[in-house]
């Protein structure tokens, strides 16, 4: 049997992916700029420690893209000036320094895959949330070519059963850390008058 890392990653994260698709601030039926700000704040809190962690041990075949700077730029956009900010989120857990390259590929799978969802959200929300340019969601336009390059590099780097399991563990942890932040933000919102 030939193992395929993408198939394994999809199976390992399907339930978590579905949960996030229905619970993030932009999953609301009619999201507004406040939902976008909350979404960006959630992603910033999640990505900041991952960003630093991946910079310390970069994946050699992955062209680096600074999603954190795009988020921060969108948060600073004048269209959000008068939009109330959500309460500050708890700090995300630090990422383990001694994890394997395959584990890091699993984490990168979640980050890069989120850009596909971002493109869908951009098409759905660009008119509704104008004049905000939604730079983070828009990215560099069509994420398809970057995603295909990512998959080629992933499949070349993660090939053995132990590597695939490590990648799946990294992807699950990436989703779990985002879900934990989402849960903490939901608890804080529920406790507010």
């Amino acid at each position: 049997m030939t193992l395929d890392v993408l198939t394994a990653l999809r199976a390992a994260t399907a339930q978590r992916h579905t949960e996030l698709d229905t619970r993030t601030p932009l999953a609301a039926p009619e999201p507004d700029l406040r939902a976008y700000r909350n979404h960006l704040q959630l992603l910033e809190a999640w990505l900041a420690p991952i960003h630093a962690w991946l910079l310390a041990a970069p994946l050699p075949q992955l062209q680096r893209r600074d999603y954190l700077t795009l988020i921060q730029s969108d948060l600073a956009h004048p269209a959000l000036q008068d939009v109330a900010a959500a309460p500050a989120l708890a700090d995300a857990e630090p990422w383990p320094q001694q994890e394997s390259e395959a584990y890091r590929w699993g984490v990168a799978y979640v980050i890069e895959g989120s850009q596909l969802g971002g493109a869908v959200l951009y098409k759905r929300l660009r008119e509704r949330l104008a004049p905000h340019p939604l730079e983070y969601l828009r990215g560099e336009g069509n994420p398809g070519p970057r995603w295909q390059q990512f998959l080629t590099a992933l499949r070349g780097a993660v090939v053995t059963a132990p590597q695939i399991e490590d990648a799946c563990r990294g992807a699950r942890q990436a989703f779990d850390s985002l879900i934990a932040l989402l849960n903490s933000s939901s608890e804080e919102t529920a406790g507010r008058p």
Side-chain angles (χ1 to χ4, degrees):
M1 181 175 98
T2 303
L3 296 173
D4 178 65
V5 65
L6 181 59
T7 301
L9 284 165
R10 284 180 176 156
T13 61
Q15 183 179 0
R16 290 163 173 92
H17 189 268
T18 299
E19 179 178 351
L20 281 175
D21 277 352
T22 60
R23 292 193 54 219
T24 61
L26 292 181
E30 296 183 20
D32 56 11
L33 284 172
R34 182 175 184 195
Y36 189 54
R37 175 185 279 284
N38 293 348
H39 186 80
L40 291 170
Q41 289 176 307
L42 175 69
L43 292 179
E44 180 182 38
W46 174 67
L47 268 178
I50 295 174
H51 180 77
W53 176 70
L54 285 174
L55 280 177
L59 295 166
Q61 304 89 344
L62 181 60
Q63 180 185 2
R64 188 178 163 284
R65 182 139 192 262
D66 191 351
Y67 298 117
L68 194 55
T69 297
L70 287 173
I71 289 170
Q72 292 163 345
S73 175
D74 268 5
L75 283 168
H77 192 273
L80 294 181
Q81 286 284 312
D82 297 326
V83 177
L89 295 168
D91 291 336
E93 294 292 318
W95 286 83
Q97 296 301 315
Q98 60 275 32
E99 288 294 351
S100 70
E101 183 178 307
Y103 179 95
R104 293 193 319 276
W105 276 106
V107 174
Y109 162 80
V110 178
I111 296 167
E112 294 299 324
S114 73
Q115 299 307 296
L116 299 174
V120 172
L121 287 170
Y122 176 74
K123 287 178 185 172
R124 189 178 73 142
L125 298 174
R126 67 181 171 206
E127 290 179 17
R128 170 186 287 279
L129 301 184
H132 199 293
L134 310 177
E135 293 291 335
Y136 174 73
L137 295 180
R138 186 172 61 85
E140 296 174 341
N142 179 4
R146 181 175 170 88
W147 179 245
Q148 291 307 313
Q149 291 170 351
F150 173 80
L151 292 180
T152 299
L154 171 70
R155 285 183 168 129
V158 181
V159 294
T160 68
Q163 288 173 327
I164 291 171
E165 181 49 41
D166 265 3
C168 289
R169 195 167 49 84
R172 286 190 299 266
Q173 180 57 42
F175 272 109
D176 289 347
S177 69
L178 183 53
I179 290 169
L181 283 169
L182 185 59
N183 289 341
S184 74
S185 71
S186 298
E187 290 165 10
E188 288 173 14
T189 303
R192 296 178 68 199

